[in-house]
């Protein structure tokens, strides 16, 4: 129970600090919004709508939502490096606070912010003319939030291990761009040659994007949906478990 | 009653460049209700020892009990009963000082109302009223340091570790903090602090250890330590040419009232029984041997002399 109360206490505190600078919430929305406004219009003529109630945004928006979840979450590790340097991590270590509360409190805060960001993004997409199944969109957000928690935990743990921005930034660059392109976020990989489709199957985000696309179309019985949810849950459990171990060891 | 007791506490760091033995078998005892000081030059092992005692770092050898619990077996219990202020501090600059304090108390499971009162008390005690409600981002170095120290006291721990608490404080804040530390002690808190300021160790600590190169070289109250040096210290500045120093050393060492002679570059340090009667005799002896004296000073022994006696180096020079 201490874990819960400690997590709640730190969550409120992290949330308060973040809300004092609400502009950050918008900053990580900037790139996805650019894609919606400046890239999606190109697709209108390229992608043939697969049904009467769909348009280019139906297949494009899910990718942008996943992209928001990926990028917003993978970069949170920078904040723990600055906390480490300021001595805050160490100060918490000497208190009896549960070892996992700082991780869970942060990841929860990030999940809440991600939810708000996703809602803003989807609202914008609807304003721009998105045609999609309403409950499918809701379920997509339910899918993206645990993915965000998984990636944020991963990012915090790696930040805690590397202890320096100079090591963390290149590592992120090294992984994010290929993962992004292989996930078919921007265009469905059905357009890709065989070898590229094969390569994409290594990236978990490929399946998550497929699942959100199916959900936006309202294809709830599509296998991709089950695969996506299953994958996200496994990913979240593994990442949080691993990150928890790193936190426990680094702050024992 | 001992609140800290260590036996053979040691820590070595292994790195690619080899092994650094930072703390080499420290045995010490801190009694409940005293201000205990750890005095030593940079790199002596003060922070390392303190980090081990506050559960932040696993010792590589030895054992310790802290606040009634075994350090290795019950670190969680130890944590509940100590406060720790690190050398570098740990203020969250995205919040105000008051919010920092309230959160800190809450992390020790103090309820919200008590945490608020406690924060207010600390803000008054450490004279932070003027800036407590501003973002900590805007604090000066000394203001931030005061907040650091207040954070360590947020839950009224029976044992408080302060790593170089007064570094970066102006003389006035420093004097004020000393008062605050004494007040805490009078209310029953035990304080374990490190410092490399001689005057601080002398004026503030009830008892202290002098540590050098990871080894404790002396332990006791400031007065007993100074008495060990015995008598007064006469410092002579001599011309370094013509081996005058050697000559003077040999000459003065033979005088009956001189207990010990130390050479430190162009300075000769004599430990003598009674300084005021020794001075004229020293002058006469040098004069008759035609040794030119440039400066001469007489002083009561300080903790620096204690350090010098034990290590052959001056703490004052190390700190400079
Ligand atoms: N993580 C580490 N890895 C390697 N060596 C270390 C590490 N931490 C400390 N040391 C070394 O251990 C020795 C003792 O360091 P410590 O920080 O305890 O000194 P200190 O007495 O607190 O000095 P100061 O007055 O400068 O704060 C130093 O030689 C230091 O370089
Ligand atoms: Mg130190």
């Amino acid at each position: 129970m201490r874990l819960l109360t400690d997590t709640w206490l730190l969550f409120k505190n992290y949330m308060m600090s973040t809300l004092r600078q609400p502009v950050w919430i918008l900053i990580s929305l900037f790139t996805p919004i650019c894609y919606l406004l400046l890239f999606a219009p190109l697709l209108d003529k390229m992608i043939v709508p697969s049904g009467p109630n769909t348009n280019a945004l139906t297949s494009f928006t899910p990718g942008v939502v996943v992209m928001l979840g990926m990028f917003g979450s993978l970069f949170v590790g920078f904040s723990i490096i600055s906390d480490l340097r300021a001595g805050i991590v160490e100060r918490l270590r000497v208190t009896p606070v549960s070892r996992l509360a700082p991780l869970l409190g942060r990841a929860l805060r990030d999940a809440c912010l991600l939810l708000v960001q996703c809602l803003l993004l989807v609202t914008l997409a609807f304003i721009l003319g998105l045609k999609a199944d309403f409950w499918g969109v809701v379920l997509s957000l339910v899918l993206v939030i645990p993915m965000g928690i998984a990636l944020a935990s991963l990012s915090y743990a790696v930040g805690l291990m590397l202890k320096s921005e100079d090591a963390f930034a290149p590592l992120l660059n090294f992984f994010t761009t290929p993962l992004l392109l292989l996930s078919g976020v921007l265009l469905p990989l059905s357009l890709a040659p065989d070898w590229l489709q094969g390569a994409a199957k290594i990236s978990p985000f490929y399946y998550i994007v497929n699942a959100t696309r199916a959900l936006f179309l309202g294809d709830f019985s599509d296998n991709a949906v089950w695969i996506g949810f299953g994958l996200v849950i496994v990913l979240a459990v593994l990442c949080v478990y691993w990150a928890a171990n790193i936190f426990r060891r680094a702050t024992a | 009653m001992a609140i800290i007791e260590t036996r053979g506490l040691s820590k070595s760091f292994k790195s690619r460049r080899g092994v650094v033995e930072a703390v080499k078998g420290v045995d010490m005892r801190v009694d409940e209700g005293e201000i205990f000081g750890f005095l030593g030059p940079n790199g002596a092992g003060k922070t390392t020892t303190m980090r081990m005692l506050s559960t932040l770092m696993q010792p590589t050898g030895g054992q310790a009990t802290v606040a009634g619990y075994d350090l290795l077996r019950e670190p969680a219990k130890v944590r509940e009963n100590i406060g720790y202020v690190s050398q570098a501090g740990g203020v969250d600059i995205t919040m105000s000082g008051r919010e920092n304090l309230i959160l800190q108390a809450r992390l020790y499971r103090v309820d919200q109302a008590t945490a608020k009162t406690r924060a207010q008390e600390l803000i008054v005690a450490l004279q932070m009223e003027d800036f407590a409600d501003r973002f900590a981002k805007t604090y000066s170095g000394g203001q931030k340091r005061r907040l650091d120290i207040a954070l360590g006291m947020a839950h009224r721990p029976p044992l408080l570790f302060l790593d170089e608490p007064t570094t970066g404080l102006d003389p006035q804040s420093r004097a004020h903090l000393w008062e605050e530390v004494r007040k805490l002690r009078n209310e029953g808190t035990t304080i374990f602090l490190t410092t490399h300021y001689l005057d601080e160790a002398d004026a503030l600590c009830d008892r202290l250890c002098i540590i050098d190169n990871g080894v404790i070289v002396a332990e006791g109250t400031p007065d007993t330590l100074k008495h060990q040096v015995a008598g007064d210290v006469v410092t002579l500045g001599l011309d370094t040419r013509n081996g005058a120093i050697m000559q003077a050393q040999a000459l003065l060492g033979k005088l009956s009232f001189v207990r010990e002679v130390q050479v430190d570059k162009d300075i000769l340090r004599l430990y003598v029984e009674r300084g005021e009667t020794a001075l004229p005799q020293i002058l006469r002896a040098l004069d008759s041997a035609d040794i030119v004296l440039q400066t001469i000073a007489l002083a009561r022994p300080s903790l620096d002399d204690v350090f010098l006696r034990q290590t052959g180096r001056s703490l004052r020079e190390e700190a400079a």
Side-chain angles (χ1 to χ4, degrees):
Chain A
M1 283 318 93
R2 284 196 159 178
L3 177 61
L4 290 187
T5 50
D6 287 348
T7 301
W8 177 240
L9 187 65
L10 285 174
F11 163 76
K12 281 190 298 187
N13 172 66
Y14 295 138
M15 192 56 119
M16 181 190 72
S17 290
T18 312
L19 291 183
R20 287 211 173 127
Q21 289 160 321
V23 63
W24 284 107
I25 302 174
L26 296 178
I27 284 177
S28 47
L29 265 176
F30 182 71
T31 313
I33 286 178
C34 282
Y35 274 104
L36 272 192
L37 289 177
L38 309 176
F39 189 75
L42 301 178
L43 300 173
D44 270 337
K45 299 205 179 74
M46 270 176 70
I47 297 180
V48 189
S50 54
N53 277 326
T54 66
N55 53 15
L57 279 175
T58 317
S59 67
F60 188 66
T61 313
V64 179
V65 169
V66 173
M67 181 168 83
L68 173 66
M70 275 171 74
F71 277 71
S73 309
L74 278 172
F75 283 81
V76 294
F78 281 106
S79 71
I80 205 155
I81 296 177
S82 62
D83 278 11
L84 208 56
R85 189 161 304 128
I88 300 170
V89 175
E90 184 166 292
R91 176 161 57 82
L92 288 189
R93 277 178 64 189
V94 201
T95 71
V97 74
S98 312
R99 304 293 95 178
L100 297 186
L103 170 68
L104 298 181
R106 280 187 174 87
L108 219 57
R109 184 257 327 251
D110 298 335
C112 289
L113 294 180
L114 180 59
L115 183 63
V116 172
Q117 291 171 331
C118 286
L119 287 173
L120 290 173
L121 191 69
V122 171
T123 309
L124 179 68
F126 274 117
I127 291 171
L128 292 176
L130 166 68
K131 289 183 189 163
D133 184 273
F134 177 76
W135 290 109
V137 172
V138 172
L139 279 179
S140 296
L141 300 192
V142 174
L143 185 73
V144 169
I145 298 305
M147 180 193 83
I149 292 179
L151 296 181
S153 312
L154 201 67
S155 180
Y156 287 126
V158 173
L160 199 60
M161 273 163 71
L162 295 179
K163 298 187 179 69
S164 108
E165 287 95 346
D166 294 342
F168 192 48
L171 187 79
L172 276 179
N173 265 332
F174 184 79
F175 283 108
T176 46
T177 312
L179 273 182
L180 180 75
L181 295 175
L182 281 179
S183 60
V185 157
L186 300 178
L187 294 171
L189 279 164
S190 47
L191 301 174
D194 286 349
W195 67 266
L196 192 55
Q197 290 196 23
K201 296 204 165 97
I202 308 169
S203 161
F205 304 105
Y206 167 74
Y207 301 96
I208 298 173
V209 172
N210 278 349
T212 48
R213 287 217 169 101
L215 286 168
F216 268 55
L217 287 170
D219 287 345
F220 299 111
S221 55
D222 192 328
N223 271 340
V225 173
W226 297 111
I227 295 174
F229 271 102
L231 191 73
V232 155
I233 289 165
V234 170
L235 204 65
V237 169
L238 287 182
C239 288
V240 174
Y241 180 77
W242 181 74
N245 270 332
I246 299 288
F247 263 70
R248 215 180 273 130
R249 213 170 328 136
T251 61
Chain B
M1 258 282 281
I3 194 161
I4 302 179
E5 206 160 11
T6 73
R7 260 193 296 137
L9 197 67
S10 37
K11 179 78 192 178
S12 51
F13 295 102
K14 287 190 192 69
S15 67
R16 257 166 280 164
R17 298 261 173 98
V19 179
V20 182
E21 287 192 57
V23 177
K24 305 169 194 163
V26 162
D27 296 318
M28 65 175 177
R29 179 195 160 97
V30 177
D31 284 320
E32 231 165 79
E34 67 179 355
I35 302 177
F36 185 88
F38 228 42
L39 175 69
N42 289 144
K46 305 183 294 295
T47 298
T48 306
T49 306
M50 203 179 251
R51 286 171 57 87
M52 287 193 283
L53 293 176
S54 55
T55 76
L56 281 170
M57 195 181 260
Q58 193 84 3
T60 42
Q63 0 174 288
T65 51
V66 177
Y69 296 96
D70 188 282
L71 182 64
L72 300 175
R73 269 177 288 146
E74 296 176 287
K77 285 285 182 198
V78 170
R79 278 195 282 268
E80 278 173 27
N81 289 287
I82 61 168
Y84 168 75
V85 178
S86 77
Q87 190 168 356
V91 167
D92 188 340
I93 57 166
T94 63
M95 304 194 284
S96 72
R98 189 185 301 276
E99 288 163 341
N100 264 287
L101 285 168
I102 294 175
L103 177 66
Q104 177 79 354
R106 299 281 285 134
L107 291 173
Y108 282 93
R109 280 119 194 174
V110 173
D111 66 79
Q112 180 75 16
T114 318
K116 276 190 176 156
T117 338
R118 189 76 193 118
Q120 179 57 29
E121 283 167 15
L122 287 166
I123 287 165
V124 173
L126 289 163
Q127 296 183 314
M128 305 194 294
E129 295 99 326
D130 290 347
F131 54 87
D133 292 301
R134 262 198 270 143
F135 276 138
K137 203 180 301 185
T138 64
Y139 291 5
S140 75
Q143 292 171 336
K144 206 178 271 170
R145 195 64 188 144
R146 274 186 267 169
L147 176 55
D148 279 328
I149 292 159
L151 284 170
M153 317 195 322
H155 60 296
R156 298 179 188 274
L159 171 61
L160 180 61
F161 289 97
L162 301 173
D163 199 352
E164 305 206 3
T166 60
T167 304
L169 294 187
D170 61 29
Q172 199 196 337
S173 310
R174 195 156 161 248
H176 188 80
L177 183 68
W178 287 6
E179 266 324 299
E180 212 37 57
V181 168
R182 288 192 188 107
K183 215 165 86 194
L184 270 179
R185 187 255 328 259
N186 296 342
E187 290 164 4
T189 308
T190 310
I191 291 118
F192 183 119
L193 61 87
T194 73
T195 180
H196 56 245
Y197 294 121
L198 295 156
D199 57 336
E200 181 160 290
D202 203 348
L204 187 58
C205 298
D206 299 319
R207 235 153 44 78
L208 59 98
C209 265
I210 298 181
I211 182 168
D212 184 42
N213 277 322
V215 180
I216 288 183
V217 294
E219 190 200 333
T221 67
D223 278 341
T224 39
L225 285 174
K226 284 184 287 188
H227 276 125
Q228 280 173 12
V229 179
D232 300 331
V233 188
V234 178
T235 317
L236 306 172
L238 292 163
D239 201 331
T240 41
R241 285 165 298 175
N242 317 328
I245 292 242
M246 296 301 154
Q247 215 184 330
Q249 185 185 11
L251 180 72
L252 298 173
K254 273 185 275 177
L255 299 176
S256 61
F257 55 85
V258 174
R259 294 218 176 146
E260 197 178 328
V261 186
Q262 274 186 0
V263 186
D264 192 358
K265 288 182 218 120
D266 55 345
I267 287 184
L268 205 60
R269 206 176 274 105
L270 308 180
Y271 294 91
V272 300
E273 266 154 45
R274 288 186 29 222
E276 49 288 13
T277 59
L279 276 187
Q281 300 185 55
I282 291 170
L283 289 175
R284 224 171 297 132
L286 289 175
D287 209 32
S288 62
D290 273 340
I291 298 172
V292 183
L293 187 63
Q294 284 171 333
T295 59
I296 184 163
L298 170 67
R300 305 280 162 209
S302 69
L303 287 176
D304 196 27
D305 296 302
V306 179
F307 186 77
L308 247 166
R309 270 279 285 258
Q310 302 292 342
T311 68
R313 288 174 293 126
S314 166
L315 199 54
R316 207 160 264 138
E317 284 160 24
E318 299 258 339

